[in-house]
C-alpha cells in the first residue's frame, strides 16, 4: 500500500487544477508557483512517468506546434485511480495534521 | 501574429532523447523545444543553446547514476556470490588458481628470455645499419662438413679501410681482433685476461660503446694505449683514477691507460674488457696486416648511411674481392657478404666466429614450451570451471526466472573469471620472482626485471595474460549462461552429454602435450647418457691438463718432466699440440695418396701420448726412442685414415704431405677414437712428432688419491722454473663434459618443463576426478547397496579418464618420434628411438594419471552409501 510521494502529489494536484491545459510546461509553471521553487523539466518528468506507469494519469494529444519542433502537445489528465490516490493522500494529510500542538513560531 | 520559431540543434536533441524515459520521450522533447524557442526569442540563441546543453548534462548525470546504482547493486551481489563460491569450492579454486599461475609464470619467464635474446646488439644507436663483412670462399665446400659452414666470419685486414675510403655508402668501418690468456700486470696485480680486443679508433663510430673517461677520438691514437672497462678499473685500481697508469702486456711491452669505458652490456655477441689499438696488433705481427692475403686477421664491421641497398652493395664489393685474390699466388677467391649485426647472436654459425653464438632453435623451443604450458593451464581452467559450473546450475536457473538476461549472467561469470585471473596474475608474479634465479641458471643467462626499464615488457605480459584469462573464462561464462531454466529445475543439466565429451577432449589435449614433453625429455636424457658413457676411445679420469704458455717452461719441459716422474703420485706425462678431444687442424691430402682427394686431421704428440690416454694400437707400433727416424719421418694413422688410403697393409707405406714435400712412413694404426665431439663422425687422422715445436698442452696422469697435494706438487715444479705466468690447470674429464653443454641445457629445460606440464595436467585431472566422483555420488551409493565391490567402482570411475589418456598416448608418440628423430640428426653417433622409450613415457603418464584418479575414486568408493543417499 504505497502512498503518493510529495512530488507526485504536487504534480497530480497541479494537473487537476489545470483541468484542460495540462501539458509539460504548464505543469512546470504551476508546480513552480505552488512550491516557490523553480523545478527543472527532468524533475517533473520523473514522477510524471512513474504516475503514467501506475496509471494514475493518462495522456491525450493536441495540435502539433512548430515551436515544439513540429511535435504535438501531450496533455495529461487524471484517471479515476489517480483521483482515488489523491483523495487518499488528502485523508491521511487531514488525519495526521489534525489535533497537533501549536508550533511556536 | 506570425512568430519566428527556432528549434534546438538536431544533434543535441537526439542526444537528449537518449537520456529521457521511453514513455514520455515525445512529450518531454516537445517541452524542451518549446522552452528553447522561448528562451531563444527572449534572451538570444546562444543563451538558449547553453541552457539546452546544461539540461543535457543534468539529465546525463541522473541517467548514469540510475544505471550505475543498478549496476553497483548487482555488482555487490555478484562479488558476494563470487567469493562465496570460492569459499565453498576451496579445493577446485585452489587447483585452478595454482595451475593458471604456474602457466602464467612460466610464460612470463620464457617471454623475458625470448625478449632478451632478440634484443642482442640492439642497444647500439645505429644497430639496424651495422653490418659485419664475411666471406664465402670458393672451393671450401668441405668446410661445411668439418666446421658447419663455408662462410668465414673473419676477413682481410685492409678491408675495413678500403670500405671506409672507397665507398660513400659506408660511414665508418672498424677491424677488431681478440687475444686471450694474456698476462696483464700493473703494480702488484697480475692476472691472465681473456677479453682483450684490438680495434681501430673507429670502433666508437661504428658501435655505441660509451667512454666514461677519455676522448673516443683520441684514446686509441697512440698504439701504446689501452682502454679499460669499469669492471677492470675496480679489479686493478679500486677507487683510484686509472688514467695514465701503465700495464705490462705479457711481460713484453707497456701500455698506458687512456680511457675507461662503460661495461659492455651482456646482450652483445662479443664482449671485451680491454681495448688496444689495432696498430699495436699490426706491430706485433710485423706489419703484415696491410696485405691482402689469406691470413684473415680480423673481424670487420661497418655502419651504413640510411637507405642503402645492401644487396646492391654486396655486388659493388666484387671488384674489391677480386683485388684481394689477385694479390696472392693461389689466392682464395672469395665473395664478400654482409651480415646484419642483429642477426649474429641467434643465426650465425660461421667458421671462425668470435665466440660461440646461441641458436634460434632455443628460442623456438622455449616459445613452443611456453605456449604449450599456457595452453595446458588454460584448458585446465576451462575444464574445472565448466565442471564446477554444473553445481551452480540451480543458481543460474533461478536468476533467469527472476528476470536476469543472458547478458547479465555473462557479466557475472565473466566478472568471476576476471577475479580469478587477477588473483592468478598476482600469484604468478610471486612465483615468477621466486623462480627467476633457478630459471637463470637453467638458460645460462642473467635475466632480471627492472621495473623502470622494462615497464613496456611488464605491461605487455600483463595485458597478454589478462586477455588469456578472459578468453579462458569466456567459454565457461557463455556455457553457464546458456542453461535453460526448465532443464535446470528438472535437474537434467548434469547429464549434458556435450559437456562430458568436451571435458574429455580437453583432458586428452592436456595429456598429449604432457606426454610429448615427457617423450622429448626421456630421449634427450638417453642421448646424453649414451654420449657420456660411450667409449670414446681414450681415458679421461685422473688426467690434469696444463696450458703451456710460458716460453721459459717450454724450454725446460724435460726438467720438469723428470722431476715430476720421480714422484709416485705422477704416473705419466705427455705434451702435445691438442688434447684427444679437440683436434681441429687438418691438411688436404692429394689424390695421389688416397683414393679420392680429401682431408685428414692431424696433431703433434710425443712418445708418451698414446700410453697416457690409453689409445689402442691395433697394427704396428707407437713412436719409440729406439727408432730415431720416428722424430721426423713417421706417422701413426687411425682406422678411418687407413680405409681412406685404401691399402691392404698400410704399414711400411708412406705418403707425401701436401705442400711440405715431406714423406712420412706409416708405422702404426690406432683404433678410431672420438677426437671431436660425438656430433661429428670420426674422420681420418694422423699423428706425428716434431721436436721443433713444443706442445701447447701438458697432460699429466695422476694417482687418484690426494689430488690437491699432487696439484701443488706440479705447481711447485712449474714455479721453480718461472714465476712469470700463474699456473693454470684443469681436469680433462670436465672439459669433455663441457662440450655437451648445449645438449645438457636442452635436457634440463625439457625435463623441468615436462614436469611442470605434467603437474598442471594432473592438477586438472585431480580436480575433474574429484568433481566427477561427487557428481556420481548417488549412483555409486546405489551401486554399493546393490552389491558392487570397491574395486568395481574404482574401475568404473577411472574408466572414462583412462580412455582419454590412451588417446593422448596415441597422439603424442608419433609427434614425439618425428620431432626427436629430427633433433637426433645433429649427432653422428646417436641412439635409436626404441619402442621402450615410448613405452616408458606412456607408462609414466598413465601411471601419474591413474594415481591421480585413483585417489579420488577410492575416496568416493569407500564412502558410506547412507551419507550419499540421505537426501532421498
Amino acid at each position: 500500500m504505497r502512498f503518493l510521494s510529495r512530488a507526485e502529489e504536487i504534480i497530480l494536484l497541479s494537473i487537476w487544477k489545470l483541468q484542460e491545459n495540462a501539458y509539460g510546461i504548464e505543469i512546470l509553471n504551476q508546480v513552480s508557483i505552488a512550491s516557490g521553487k523553480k523545478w527543472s523539466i527532468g524533475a517533473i518528468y520523473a514522477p510524471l512517468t512513474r504516475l503514467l506507469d501506475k496509471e494514475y494519469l493518462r495522456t491525450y494529444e493536441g495540435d502539433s506546434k512548430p515551436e515544439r519542433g513540429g511535435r504535438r502537445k501531450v496533455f495529461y489528465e487524471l484517471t479515476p485511480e489517480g483521483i482515488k490516490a489523491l483523495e487518499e493522500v488528502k485523508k491521511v494529510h487531514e488525519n495526521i495534521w489534525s489535533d497537533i500542538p501549536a508550533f511556536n513560531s | 501574429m506570425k512568430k519566428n520559431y527556432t528549434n534546438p540543434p538536431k544533434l543535441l536533441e537526439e542526444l537528449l532523447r537518449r537520456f529521457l524515459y521511453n514513455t514520455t520521450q515525445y512529450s518531454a522533447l516537445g517541452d524542451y523545444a518549446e522552452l528553447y524557442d522561448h528562451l531563444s526569442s527572449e534572451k538570444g540563441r546562444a543563451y538558449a543553446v547553453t541552457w539546452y546543453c546544461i539540461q543535457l548534462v543534468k539529465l546525463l548525470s541522473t541517467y548514469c547514476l540510475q544505471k550505475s546504482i543498478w549496476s553497483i547493486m548487482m555488482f555487490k551481489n555478484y562479488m558476494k556470490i563470487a567469493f562465496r563460491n570460492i569459499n565453498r569450492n576451496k579445493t577446485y579454486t585452489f587447483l585452478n588458481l595454482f595451475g593458471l599461475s604456474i602457466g602464467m609464470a612460466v610464460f612470463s619467464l620464457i617471454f623475458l628470455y625470448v625478449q632478451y635474446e632478440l634484443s642482442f646488439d640492439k642497444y647500439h644507436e645505429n644497430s639496424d645499419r651495422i653490418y659485419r663483412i664475411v666471406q664465402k670462399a670458393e672451393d671450401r665446400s668441405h668446410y661445411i662438413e668439418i666446421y658447419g659452414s663455408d662462410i668465414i666470419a673473419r676477413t682481410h685486414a685492409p678491408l675495413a679501410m678500403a670500405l671506409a675510403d672507397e665507398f660513400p655508402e659506408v660511414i665508418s668501418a672498424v677491424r677488431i681482433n681478440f687475444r686471450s690468456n694474456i698476462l696483464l700486470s700493473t703494480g702488484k696485480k697480475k692476472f691472465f685476461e681473456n677479453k682483450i680486443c684490438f680495434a681501430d679508433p673507429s670502433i666508437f663510430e661504428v658501435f655505441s660503446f660509451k667512454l666514461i673517461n677519455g676522448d673516443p677520438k683520441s684514446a686509441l691514437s697512440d698504439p701504446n694505449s689501452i682502454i679499460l672497462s669499469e669492471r677492470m678499473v675496480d679489479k686493478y685500481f679500486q677507487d683510484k683514477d686509472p688514467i695514465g697508469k701503465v700495464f705490462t702486456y705479457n711481460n713484453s711491452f707497456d701500455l698506458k691507460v687512456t680511457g675507461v669505458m662503460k661495461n659492455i652490456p651482456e646482450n652483445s655477441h662479443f664482449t671485451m674488457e680491454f681495448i688496444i689499438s689495432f696498430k699495436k696488433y699490426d706491430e706485433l705481427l710485423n706489419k703484415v696486416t696491410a696485405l691482402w692475403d689469406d691470413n684473415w686477421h680480423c673481424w670487420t664491421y661497418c655502419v651504413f648511411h640510411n637507405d642503402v641497398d645492401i644487396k646492391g652493395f654486396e655486388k659493388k664489393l666484387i671488384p674489391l674481392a677480386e683485388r684481394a685474390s689477385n694479390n696472392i699466388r693461389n689466392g682464395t677467391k672469395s665473395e664478400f657478404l654482409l651480415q646484419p649485426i642483429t642477426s649474429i647472436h641467434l643465426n650465425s654459425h660461421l667458421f671462425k666466429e668470435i665466440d660461440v653464438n646461441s641458436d634460434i632453435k632455443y628460442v623456438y623451443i622455449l616459445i613452443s614450451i611456453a605456449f604449450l604450458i599456457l595452453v595446458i593451464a588454460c584448458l585446465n581452467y576451462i575444464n574445472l570451471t565448466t565442471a564446477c559450473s554444473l553445481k551452480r546450475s540451480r543458481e543460474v536457473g533461478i536468476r533467469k526466472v527472476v528476470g536476469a538476461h543472458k547478458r547479465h549472467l555473462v557479466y557475472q561469470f565473466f566478472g568471476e573469471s576476471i577475479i580469478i585471473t587477477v588473483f592468478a596474475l598476482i600469484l604468478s608474479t610471486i612465483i615468477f620472482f621466486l623462480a627467476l634465479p633457478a630459471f637463470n641458471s637453467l638458460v645460462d643467462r642473467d635475466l632480471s626485471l627492472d621495473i623502470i626499464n622494462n615497464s613496456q615488457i611488464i605491461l605487455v605480459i600483463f595485458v597478454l595474460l589478462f586477455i588469456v584469462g578472459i578468453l579462458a573464462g569466456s567459454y565457461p561464462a557463455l556455457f553457464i549462461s546458456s542453461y535453460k531454466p526448465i532443464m535446470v529445475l528438472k535437474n537434467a543439466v548434469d547429464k549434458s552429454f556435450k559437456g562430458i565429451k568436451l571435458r574429455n577432449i580437453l583432458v586428452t589435449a592436456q595429456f598429449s602435450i604432457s606426454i610429448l614433453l615427457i617423450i622429448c625429455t626421456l630421449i634427450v636424457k638417453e642421448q646424453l647418457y649414451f654420449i657420456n658413457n660411450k667409449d670414446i676411445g681414450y681415458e679421461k679420469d685422473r688426467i690434469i691438463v696444463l696450458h703451456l704458455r710460458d716460453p721459459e717452461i717450454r724450454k725446460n719441459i724435460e726438467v720438469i718432466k723428470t722431476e715430476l716422474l720421480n714422484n709416485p703420485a705422477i704416473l705419466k706425462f705427455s705434451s702435445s699440440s691438442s688434447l684427444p678431444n679437440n683436434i681441429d687442424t687438418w691438411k688436404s691430402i692429394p689424390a695421389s695418396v688416397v683414393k679420392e682427394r680429401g682431408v685428414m686431421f692431424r696433431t703433434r704428440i710425443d712418445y708418451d701420448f698414446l700410453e697416457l690416454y690409453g689409445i689402442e694400437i691395433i697394427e704396428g707400433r707407437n713412436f719409440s726412442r729406439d727408432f730415431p727416424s720416428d722424430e721426423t719421418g713417421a706417422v701413426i694413422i687411425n682406422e678411418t685414415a687407413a680405409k681412406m688410403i685404401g691399402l691392404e697393409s698400410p704399414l711400411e707405406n708412406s705418403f707425401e704431405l701436401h705442400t711440405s714435400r715431406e714423406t712420412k712412413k706409416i708405422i702404426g694404426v690406432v683404433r678410431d677414437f672420438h677426437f671431436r665431439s660425438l656430433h661429428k663422425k670420426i674422420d681420418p687422422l694422423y699423428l706425428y712428432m716434431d721436436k721443433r715445436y713444443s706442445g701447447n698442452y701438458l697432460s699429466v696422469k695422476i694417482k687418484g688419491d690426494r689430488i690437491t697435494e699432487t696439484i701443488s706438487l706440479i705447481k711447485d715444479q712449474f714455479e721453480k722454473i718461472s714465476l712469470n705466468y700463474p699456473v693454470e690447470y684443469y681436469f680433462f674429464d670436465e672439459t669433455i663434459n663441457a662440450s655437451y653443454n648445449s645438449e645438457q641445457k636442452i635436457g634440463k629445460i625439457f625435463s623441468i618443463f615436462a614436469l611442470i606440464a605434467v603437474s598442471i595436467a594432473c592438477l586438472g585431472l585431480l580436480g575433474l576426478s574429484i568433481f566427477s566422483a561427487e557428481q556420481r555420488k548417488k549412483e555409486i551409493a546405489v551401486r554399493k547397496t546393490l552389491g558392487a565391490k570397491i574395486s568395481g567402482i574404482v574401475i568404473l570411475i577411472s574408466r572414462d579418464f583412462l580412455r582419454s589418456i590412451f588417446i593422448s598416448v596415441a597422439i603424442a608418440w608419433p609427434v614425439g618420434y618425428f620431432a626427436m628423430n629430427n633433433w637426433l640428426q645433429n649427432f653422428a653417433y646417436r641412439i635409436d628411438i626404441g619402442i621402450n622409450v615410448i613405452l616408458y613415457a606412456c607408462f609414466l603418464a598413465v601411471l601419474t594419471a591413474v594415481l591421480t584418479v585413483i585417489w579420488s575414486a577410492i575416496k568416493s568408493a569407500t564412502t558410506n552409501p547412507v551419507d550419499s543417499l540421505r537426501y532421498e
Side-chain angles (χ1 to χ4, degrees), chain B residues 264-289:
Chain B
I264 311 284
E266 291 287 329
N267 51 345
S268 319
H269 75 279
F270 67 86
T271 178
M272 58 233 184
E273 306 284 357
F274 303 89
I275 307 183
I276 305 178
S277 170
F278 202 85
K279 280 189 241 159
K280 194 70 196 174
Y281 182 80
D282 222 0
E283 267 179 41
L284 291 174
L285 289 168
N286 296 322
K287 303 228 187 283
V288 294
T289 62

Side-chain angles (χ1 to χ4, degrees), chain B residues 663-847:
Chain B
T663 319
K664 301 236 191 237
K665 206 161 69 149
I666 303 174
I667 60 165
V669 181
V670 289
R671 192 175 290 287
D672 278 342
F673 60 92
H674 288 277
F675 56 87
R676 290 183 299 160
S677 75
L678 283 163
H679 291 108
K680 312 260 194 291
K681 64 175 182 17
I682 298 184
D683 280 313
L685 169 75
Y686 69 87
L687 306 163
Y688 65 104
M689 297 211 300
D690 193 336
K691 274 298 185 200
R692 291 176 293 170
Y693 303 100
S694 52
N696 294 331
Y697 293 94
L698 213 57
S699 312
V700 185
K701 189 161 191 124
I702 61 173
K703 249 199 191 149
D705 50 346
R706 294 196 259 173
I707 296 185
T708 4
E709 282 185 30
T710 325
I711 292 181
S712 33
L713 189 75
I714 301 177
K715 268 183 157 178
D716 287 339
Q717 284 301 325
F718 272 65
E719 283 169 1
K720 264 201 222 162
I721 308 282
S722 157
L723 283 167
N724 287 335
Y725 290 77
V727 179
E728 274 184 308
Y729 65 92
Y730 46 89
F731 291 94
F732 185 54
D733 45 13
E734 283 171 6
T735 43
I736 297 206
N737 280 338
S739 53
Y740 300 109
N741 203 2
S742 89
E743 281 73 28
Q744 284 167 339
K745 263 201 315 188
I746 293 190
K748 258 203 288 183
I749 291 176
F750 266 121
S751 53
I752 291 193
F753 288 120
L755 192 66
I756 294 180
V758 169
S759 315
I760 299 182
C762 278
L763 282 179
L765 194 57
L766 184 67
L768 274 184
S769 59
I770 295 178
F771 177 77
S772 155
E774 231 184 81
Q775 286 290 86
R776 304 168 73 170
K777 231 175 10 178
K778 295 205 188 90
E779 175 194 342
I780 295 175
V782 170
R783 281 181 192 265
K784 281 194 79 168
T785 12
L786 290 177
K789 290 210 268 280
I790 292 187
S791 55
I793 300 199
V794 167
I795 294 178
L796 176 75
I797 299 183
S798 327
R799 208 172 32 187
D800 284 326
F801 294 111
L802 289 186
R803 205 172 339 135
S804 316
I805 308 271
F806 283 123
I807 300 182
S808 316
V809 165
I811 298 178
W813 81 253
V815 178
Y817 185 83
F818 180 72
M820 279 293 108
N821 229 352
N822 218 331
W823 177 73
L824 282 177
Q825 299 305 327
N826 282 331
F827 290 85
Y829 295 90
R830 51 181 180 261
I831 53 170
D832 285 317
I833 305 181
I835 279 290
N836 45 340
V837 178
I838 311 274
L839 282 182
Y840 192 49
C842 304
F843 175 71
L844 267 183
V846 172
L847 186 68

Side-chain angles (χ1 to χ4, degrees), chain B residues 269-338:
Chain B
H269 75 279
F270 67 86
T271 178
M272 58 233 184
E273 306 284 357
F274 303 89
I275 307 183
I276 305 178
S277 170
F278 202 85
K279 280 189 241 159
K280 194 70 196 174
Y281 182 80
D282 222 0
E283 267 179 41
L284 291 174
L285 289 168
N286 296 322
K287 303 228 187 283
V288 294
T289 62
L291 304 175
W292 288 96
D293 59 14
D294 266 1
N295 292 316
W296 302 312
H297 282 293
C298 60
W299 288 276
T300 308
Y301 295 80
C302 64
V303 58
F304 288 94
H305 285 290
N306 282 321
D307 301 324
V308 170
D309 171 21
I310 297 299
K311 278 276 172 261
F313 190 79
E314 279 179 358
K315 293 204 177 52
K316 284 199 194 175
L317 291 177
I318 296 183
L320 202 60
E322 281 181 14
R323 198 192 320 169
S325 59
N326 284 340
N327 261 331
I328 332 153
R329 173 176 59 96
N330 294 333
T332 326
K333 285 207 191 341
S334 315
E335 189 192 333
F336 288 125
L337 300 169
L338 292 173

